[in-house]
Amino acid sequence: MNRLHGRVALVTGAGRRGNIGLAVCDAFLREGAAGVVATDLRSDEAEVIRQQVGSDRFRLLAHDVTDPASWQQVLAETVRSFGGLDILVNNAGISIHGGIETTSLDDLHKVMAVNLDALFLGIQVCLPELARRAPLHAGGAAVINNLSMGSFMSNPNNLSYHLSKAAGRMLTLCVAKELGPRKIRVNSIHPGVTMTPLMRDGCQKYVEQGVWESMAAGEAALASLNKLNIAGQPEDLAHAFVYLASDESRFITGTALSHDGCCEYY
Ligand SMILES: NC(=O)c1ccc[n+]([C@@H]2O[C@H](COP(=O)([O-])OP(=O)(O)OC[C@H]3O[C@@H](n4cnc5c(N)ncnc54)[C@H](O)[C@@H]3O)[C@@H](O)[C@H]2O)c1
């Protein structure tokens, strides 16, 4: 409790119940954050989420992470609501399946815009505010990029996603070196299969196509990809974000934290 006392966080891609971004927001609030701003392009679940979270330390804002003006707006609203920004979580992400023959240049650009450009933009826009607040905390300010085990493994059927997540890792390393002297720590988290609605929708399609005979069979197949033989849950993953956001990780920057039950990279 209270590991994030007094901190203000902005978490992108947190506008869907059961997803990773919202689990991170819940965990930050439980750890005593002074303010948590969730943002998302989608707004269809916004009211339900606001009611469910039910905290005056929580805001949910409309945001397109690929748009610089939209970043300026959410940052201004965050500072207006809670007085500053200490933690930036770049979590929004998309994938468009396809390999070199089946991915259009337009699709590649769409994926790169959300999974890579948005990280660059978010850090750039939030930097002055993070730098202003960094001296207040033993662990400084924190940027956490939610990437994927896809940063380290190839997948010919999801070329643009893996490319974007690999580039996100290099961005993390370069910016960690640049901003370390200003006490802004920049780390990346690399989840393996994590059971969010997005993942369940994908499983459901495979069940309908007869690839798996049931959802349970699909979950078991996904779990078998790692050595612990379990499917990750957003709530488990959220603990890793709390750690990297808190002073407990004050000597950690530029790191890649895998949360994947030891997947085989190939
Ligand atoms: N679930 C997994 O197994 C898994 C594994 C590895 C990595 N990840 C990564 O975790 C992150 C969250 O994934 P999730 O499973 O919770 O999926 P999700 O689809 O529920 O979450 C992503 C969110 O990003 C939002 N988003 C998309 N484009 C946006 C834009 N332009 N501006 C603002 N928001 C936008 C979506 O509306 C969505 O709510 C993603 O970056 C994903 O690549 C997930």
Side-chain angles (χ1 to χ4, degrees):
M1 291 284 280
N2 280 336
R3 291 155 77 197
L4 300 178
H5 179 72
R7 315 290 166 105
V8 178
L10 195 164
V11 183
T12 68
R16 188 174 191 191
R17 281 177 300 163
N19 81 1
I20 293 169
L22 199 53
V24 171
C25 292
D26 282 339
F28 283 5
L29 287 167
R30 273 199 310 278
E31 290 298 340
V36 175
V37 177
T39 76
D40 210 296
L41 195 57
R42 59 188 286 171
S43 57
D44 53 321
E45 297 186 0
E47 263 332 296
V48 187
I49 289 172
R50 284 192 190 101
Q51 279 172 22
Q52 274 185 0
V53 176
S55 167
D56 57 5
R57 293 178 289 132
F58 178 75
R59 300 280 316 271
L60 175 55
L61 304 179
H63 184 197
D64 179 354
V65 292
T66 66
D67 176 9
S70 186
W71 270 106
Q72 295 288 359
Q73 280 163 10
V74 297
L75 177 64
E77 193 54 40
T78 302
V79 174
R80 205 169 18 248
S81 298
F82 300 115
L85 180 69
D86 309 282
I87 303 159
L88 169 64
V89 177
N90 283 314
N91 166 71
I94 59 168
S95 76
I96 301 176
H97 281 256
I100 190 71
E101 287 184 298
T102 50
T103 302
S104 68
L105 187 60
D106 189 40
D107 284 348
L108 175 69
H109 288 165
K110 275 187 196 149
V111 172
M112 292 303 258
V114 180
N115 294 3
L116 179 66
D117 299 5
L119 278 55
F120 172 91
L121 271 179
I123 298 170
Q124 207 169 57
V125 169
C126 296
L127 179 54
E129 193 50 37
L130 293 168
R132 187 179 74 81
R133 299 273 288 202
L136 301 177
H137 312 293
V143 175
I144 307 170
N145 295 323
N146 191 18
L147 300 177
S148 165
M149 62 183 182
S151 300
F152 309 116
M153 62 186 274
S154 55
N155 180 350
N157 299 315
N158 206 358
L159 174 66
S160 53
Y161 182 80
H162 285 243
L163 209 51
S164 66
K165 295 291 186 177
R169 176 63 199 141
M170 186 49 71
L171 177 82
T172 303
L173 270 176
C174 292
V175 180
K177 286 187 179 171
E178 184 178 345
L179 301 186
R182 294 161 80 176
K183 274 188 87 171
I184 301 172
R185 297 180 299 107
V186 186
N187 292 296
S188 53
I189 292 183
H190 301 261
V193 172
T194 307
M195 295 314 292
T196 59
L198 182 77
M199 190 54 73
R200 287 204 180 83
D201 293 347
C203 281
Q204 187 60 43
K205 281 202 190 96
Y206 278 4
V207 172
E208 284 158 18
Q209 290 164 8
V211 178
W212 291 322
E213 64 184 33
S214 65
M215 284 293 280
E219 277 201 34
L222 291 172
S224 74
L225 294 175
N226 68 70
K227 296 295 173 247
L228 296 175
N229 206 27
I230 55 175
Q233 301 298 330
E235 294 74 19
D236 296 334
L237 185 54
H239 295 297
F241 286 81
V242 169
Y243 174 63
L244 289 177
S246 76
D247 287 344
E248 292 160 12
S249 59
R250 73 190 186 103
F251 195 42
I252 297 182
T253 194
T255 208
L257 197 161
S258 292
H259 190 273
D260 64 359
C262 191
C263 259
E264 300 284 4
Y265 298 134
Y266 54 89

